[in-house]
Amino acid sequence: MLILLPPSETKTRPDPGVAAGALDLGALAFPELTEQRATMLRAVQRTAAGKDAATRLGVPASAPELVERMIALEDEPVGPPLTVYSGVLFDQLDPSIEIPADRRVLVQSALLGVVDAATDRIPAYRLSAGSTVARLGKAATWWARHLRPLGSRLLGEEAEGPSPVVIDSRSGAYRTMMPMHSTPTVTVLEVSPVQERSGTRKVVSHDAKRYRGWVTRVLLDAAAPASTPDEVVDQLRAGFGGTLGVELEGDRLAIVDRVS
């Protein structure tokens, strides 16, 4: 089973006194992206050195030091992705969790394209899918050209495995970076949290990330990966214990928060 996650805007900087080494692009998963990662890294550093760096990188006025850290990103301490990404979604996951060998968690990254939550080591960076970087333009648009082959390959790998299911918990901006859709041999389920009140449903905004994190945790905690969409639903219903509803609507996995 493949689980796709968005990154977080906020990130926790690894402790320089504990973290070993710095960013090594060649050691990351998917080495075929090494050249593209190096290109984006250089572009981001040029952007960070510009006069409008804070605006282009989305650096808040309260944390101007982030600009300087982006300039020297290659020297920043690195750590496992689940300890670096923070916020509502990642709060639902135990940073020390051991991801089962029969499941894979990938996080979309505007800086590195895709990172493997189990094996990669990354720095805390400030860059989003909507950021416009020097010479490359919008990060999501630039990456989309380079990630298309990887998306196709990942679908092929899942189709050949025992659990031909992809759980797509990414937000819209990050789905555009590497679009993935169901094929005759693999099902891509888009996680879509909704709130239901008096029979009327609306898209959840505030709690959507929390529910996506909860989905990930339940599927990783399961004894074995689900091999069909119906098994995904069964695992989530059991894991939620009735707190949230779970429904299949075609390739849409609706997580339903029923409120009175």
Side-chain angles (χ1 to χ4, degrees):
M1 172 184 286
L2 173 61
I3 301 174
L4 301 171
L5 298 178
S8 58
E9 288 294 321
T10 57
K11 299 171 185 70
T12 301
R13 188 186 187 217
D15 184 344
V18 176
L23 179 61
D24 182 354
L25 297 182
L28 297 175
F30 312 115
E32 66 268 33
L33 298 178
T34 299
E35 182 178 344
Q36 286 76 26
R37 287 164 170 159
T39 297
M40 178 59 75
L41 179 60
R42 290 192 298 269
V44 167
Q45 290 173 318
R46 284 194 296 267
T47 303
K51 294 181 179 179
D52 57 349
T55 299
R56 296 180 71 173
L57 296 176
V59 173
S62 59
E65 72 279 1
L66 291 178
V67 173
E68 293 301 319
R69 281 165 46 188
M70 289 298 287
I71 293 175
L73 201 54
E74 291 167 308
D75 300 320
E76 280 290 296
V78 295
L82 294 186
T83 68
V84 174
Y85 293 118
S86 56
V88 179
L89 189 157
F90 293 91
D91 286 346
Q92 306 307 307
L93 305 175
D94 182 351
S96 64
I97 189 173
E98 185 173 336
I99 298 173
D102 52 12
R103 273 149 280 191
R104 191 172 201 181
V105 178
L106 301 181
V107 185
Q108 204 79 64
S109 167
L111 176 67
L112 301 169
V114 181
V115 298
D116 190 310
T119 62
D120 286 342
R121 297 294 181 268
I122 65 172
Y125 60 90
R126 186 73 185 192
L127 189 71
S128 68
S131 297
T132 300
V133 296
R135 302 183 186 180
L136 301 185
K138 184 176 289 189
T141 303
W142 186 86
W143 272 117
R145 299 196 299 271
H146 300 288
L147 292 177
R148 192 173 296 111
L150 176 59
S152 298
R153 195 188 83 185
L154 289 171
L155 286 175
E157 291 175 354
E158 291 305 305
E160 295 174 359
S163 180
V165 179
V166 176
I167 307 299
D168 191 349
S169 283
R170 298 173 297 171
S171 55
Y174 287 97
R175 289 193 184 107
T176 65
M177 287 178 59
M178 190 173 71
M180 297 183 73
H181 305 287
S182 293
T183 71
T185 52
V186 61
T187 303
V188 179
L189 295 177
E190 179 183 322
V191 178
S192 300
V194 296
Q195 185 182 84
E196 183 180 285
R197 186 189 299 271
S198 301
T200 301
R201 293 183 177 182
K202 66 176 182 179
V203 175
V204 173
S205 55
H206 178 69
D207 283 327
K209 293 179 181 179
R210 180 163 67 92
Y211 295 156
R212 287 174 174 140
W214 199 356
V215 165
T216 303
R217 189 183 73 195
V218 169
L219 295 177
L220 291 179
D221 285 345
S227 59
T228 67
D230 287 336
E231 288 184 12
V232 171
V233 171
D234 290 342
Q235 287 186 357
L236 291 176
R237 285 176 177 168
F240 292 156
T243 304
L244 298 171
V246 185
E247 299 175 6
L248 274 179
E249 300 174 354
D251 289 343
R252 184 170 171 264
L253 185 63
I255 308 301
V256 186
D257 180 8
R258 295 186 173 92
V259 297
S260 57

